[in-house]
Amino acid sequence: MQFLWKYIDDLVGKGLEWYVVTELLFYCVPNFIPLSLAMGVLLSCIMVFGNLSERYELVSIKAAGVPLRRALYPVALFVAILAAGSFLFGNYVIPAANLKFFSLFWDVKNKKPAFDIREGAFYNDIEGFSIKIGKKDKNGKDIYDIVIYDHTKEQASTTVVLAERGEMTRSEDKRFLYFTLINGRRFEEMRDNPDYHRTFMHNSMKFERQEIVFDLSQLDLSRTAEDLFKGNQQLQSIGQLQQGIDSLQKKADTLLLEMQTFVNANYHIFDTLKPQYVEEYHKATAEWKQKENPNANMVFSQALNIARTTKGTVENSKKLHKDTLQKEARYRIEWHKKFTLPVACLVLFLIGAPLGAIVRKGGFGWPMVIAILLFMVFYILNIIGEKITRELVVPASVGMWIAAAVLTPLGVWLASKASRDSSLFDPDAYIRGMRRIVSFGRKRKEPNQ
């Protein structure tokens, strides 16, 4: 649904076959699997351990002398296997699926709209022709007041066909469009005649019936070579991303060095001027007589031009350097994503399992609500970290690990609470605590009375 809402404007009106849209959806799904896997680990852990705690099975396990952390080992091992699978999936499957998706979506996006001639408007999607129909019958076949401009040979419309009425049909394979025109006239300028630019000769022909065939194959979906899209960072594995990072880092360092060299060379340009000009300039400046000393004016103008040129060059180099760093940041984001999403499975397991033991509720009630809230926190932190990394506020090694850094201490704290049978989410415990506070306050008032 997210894919359809995001790209609906690029899909509607293109006359796409159902299997093309299905293929796009199929290639889009792998991108959601690592996140959905992390969400599934969180929800299932809360539900499973919530059921165990609700049925007092965890109590039985602890009564048998097995601490909670040992009860978590088999599940932790399974989640670790899922995390490893998520890493391999993100490193190999997702780049291949993205390559298929981007190449197919590019073709869909650049595909011409499906053939649809409307009344009173020119249709220009058939290359070399501009067609206008004054009126179209409800059956979609009979047409009236037809105007066809043929400019296949040159940019200008040298041939015009007019007809009172006609029939519009398509071949069985939908590759050709047939116009059968009745009672019309054809005008053609004789541009091939040597005397055309002097006489503007043209040919006029009246006809009772004429058939024109249009090739609609150009409206079909054409496939672009996938190799053209392999430069995108979302289509690369860890090794390829590392090569891209190294290349961009080297490019950024080279740009910075060239900018520093250029600035240093122009900053000391004053020393290369002739000494007498320098002395005259200082003298003229001290006496405020630049206008009366042409040599000093020349030095001043030259220095001012050099300063302006240097400033403009530095600003352009600075922008290019920043663009290179932002591109490098996007590569680093994708590199860290290969690890952050698998680690998210472990972090959310560390939160979900003890949380389920504390909540002591199974099913799709409280576990679902808590899982959604926690996952929203994780997702928002992950998006914030990615955004500030892309804007070069923090390095990728910090921004992409914000969610894990924030939620891991929470998981450790919940694990310690669960191991001590904490009643963190038990309303009765809070009610009993309030009653103790109230009773303690009453006892302190009684001696005073």
Side-chain angles (χ1 to χ4, degrees):
M1 292 303 298
Q2 180 183 1
F3 163 80
L4 290 177
W5 282 117
K6 186 175 181 179
Y7 299 112
I8 190 68
D9 292 337
D10 298 311
L11 301 177
V12 172
K14 297 295 182 71
L16 298 174
E17 301 290 343
W18 65 270
Y19 55 83
V20 175
V21 180
T22 304
E23 188 177 358
L24 279 172
L25 289 171
F26 178 75
Y27 293 142
C28 183
V29 164
N31 288 281
F32 300 110
I33 288 180
L35 276 177
S36 61
L37 188 62
M39 175 67 179
V41 168
L42 175 63
L43 178 60
S44 59
C45 285
I46 295 177
M47 291 177 62
V48 168
F49 285 91
N51 280 325
L52 291 175
S53 181
E54 186 179 13
R55 298 170 183 173
Y56 298 99
E57 293 174 352
L58 283 180
V59 176
S60 302
I61 292 174
K62 293 177 182 178
V66 180
L68 179 63
R69 65 176 183 274
R70 287 188 59 188
L72 297 179
Y73 285 166
V75 184
L77 178 61
F78 178 72
V79 173
I81 295 174
L82 284 181
S86 176
F87 170 77
L88 296 175
F89 188 86
N91 193 40
Y92 297 105
V93 178
I94 290 181
N98 284 339
L99 178 60
K100 297 284 187 182
F101 172 79
F102 284 130
S103 61
L104 179 57
F105 183 71
W106 172 265
D107 297 332
V108 169
K109 189 176 181 179
N110 290 277
K111 181 184 180 298
K112 292 183 179 180
F115 179 75
D116 183 20
I117 296 183
R118 303 192 179 190
E119 297 180 354
F122 280 99
Y123 182 81
N124 302 311
D125 288 330
I126 300 179
E127 187 175 356
F129 294 93
S130 183
I131 307 171
K132 179 182 178 182
I133 295 175
K135 183 180 179 182
K136 182 167 59 174
D137 207 4
K138 293 183 179 180
N139 57 16
K141 182 178 179 181
D142 297 326
I143 52 179
Y144 306 90
D145 299 330
I146 304 110
V147 180
I148 301 175
Y149 288 94
D150 182 356
H151 43 85
T152 54
K153 295 182 180 180
E154 300 181 13
Q155 292 295 330
S157 301
T158 58
T159 303
V160 182
V161 179
L162 307 175
E164 295 180 1
R165 60 188 181 89
E167 292 182 355
M168 179 177 61
T169 57
R170 298 179 67 174
S171 60
E172 294 182 359
D173 57 1
K174 309 296 183 182
R175 292 180 59 86
F176 297 98
L177 176 68
Y178 301 103
F179 268 31
T180 304
L181 306 179
I182 301 173
N183 296 334
R185 186 176 292 272
R186 176 188 178 92
F187 300 92
E188 182 177 1
E189 296 183 5
M190 309 297 292
R191 289 181 175 267
D192 296 335
N193 192 298
D195 296 332
Y196 170 77
H197 295 287
R198 183 174 60 86
T199 61
F200 297 100
M201 297 179 61
H202 68 278
N203 183 16
S204 177
M205 180 184 66
K206 187 177 180 179
F207 60 85
E208 294 183 358
R209 184 183 183 89
Q210 182 180 5
E211 187 174 90
I212 301 178
V213 182
F214 301 98
D215 186 6
L216 299 182
S217 59
Q218 55 187 284
L219 303 181
D220 295 338
L221 180 67
S222 59
R223 301 303 297 267
T224 307
E226 295 179 355
D227 294 340
L228 300 176
F229 301 88
K230 288 186 176 180
N232 192 298
Q233 68 272 7
Q234 296 180 349
L235 315 180
Q236 299 178 3
S237 61
I238 288 180
Q240 295 170 332
L241 288 171
Q242 189 61 53
Q243 291 179 0
I245 291 172
D246 295 339
S247 300
L248 290 169
Q249 189 173 9
K250 184 177 180 181
K251 181 180 178 181
D253 294 339
T254 302
L255 288 171
L256 186 61
L257 181 61
E258 290 177 351
M259 183 171 59
Q260 291 175 348
T261 304
F262 178 79
V263 171
N264 292 334
N266 286 277
Y267 182 76
H268 297 289
I269 193 69
F270 196 80
D271 298 336
T272 64
L273 299 175
K274 293 183 179 181
Q276 61 269 26
Y277 290 166
V278 176
E279 294 176 1
E280 292 175 357
Y281 172 73
H282 284 299
K283 182 178 179 181
T285 303
E287 299 177 358
W288 295 93
K289 295 181 179 180
Q290 293 91 336
K291 294 183 179 181
E292 300 177 2
N293 196 325
N295 293 330
N297 285 334
M298 183 188 69
V299 173
F300 181 79
S301 299
Q302 186 177 0
L304 185 60
N305 291 333
I306 291 173
R308 289 172 177 171
T309 303
T310 304
K311 180 182 178 182
T313 304
V314 169
E315 289 179 350
N316 292 334
S317 299
K318 183 179 178 181
K319 184 178 183 301
L320 184 59
H321 183 258
K322 183 178 179 181
D323 293 341
T324 305
L325 291 179
Q326 287 181 335
K327 187 175 182 181
E328 180 187 349
R330 291 195 293 269
Y331 271 74
R332 291 186 181 275
I333 287 172
E334 292 299 325
W335 190 91
H336 282 277
K337 271 186 179 180
K338 308 291 186 184
F339 298 95
T340 54
L341 293 180
V343 170
C345 294
L346 300 174
V347 173
L348 294 179
F349 159 74
L350 184 61
I351 294 176
L355 189 60
I358 296 173
V359 172
R360 298 175 184 175
K361 293 289 183 180
F364 282 96
W366 272 108
M368 176 67 77
V369 175
I370 296 172
I372 290 176
L373 293 176
L374 286 174
F375 186 78
M376 286 177 61
V377 172
F378 164 77
Y379 188 74
I380 291 172
L381 290 174
N382 197 39
I383 292 297
I384 292 174
E386 184 175 338
K387 183 175 179 59
I388 60 178
T389 301
R390 192 180 295 111
E391 297 297 330
L392 304 179
V393 178
V394 297
S397 56
V398 176
M400 296 305 296
W401 292 92
I402 288 178
V406 172
L407 294 180
T408 300
L410 175 62
V412 174
W413 179 70
L414 289 174
S416 65
K417 288 290 185 180
S419 62
R420 296 196 299 267
D421 293 329
S422 172
S423 55
L424 188 63
F425 293 95
D426 186 5
D428 295 335
Y430 292 100
I431 294 174
R432 289 193 297 269
M434 292 297 297
R435 288 176 178 174
R436 291 195 192 99
I437 293 174
V438 172
S439 61
F440 179 74
R442 289 177 179 176
K443 290 179 180 179
R444 293 191 61 183
K445 291 181 179 179
E446 287 177 358
N448 296 333
Q449 292 176 355

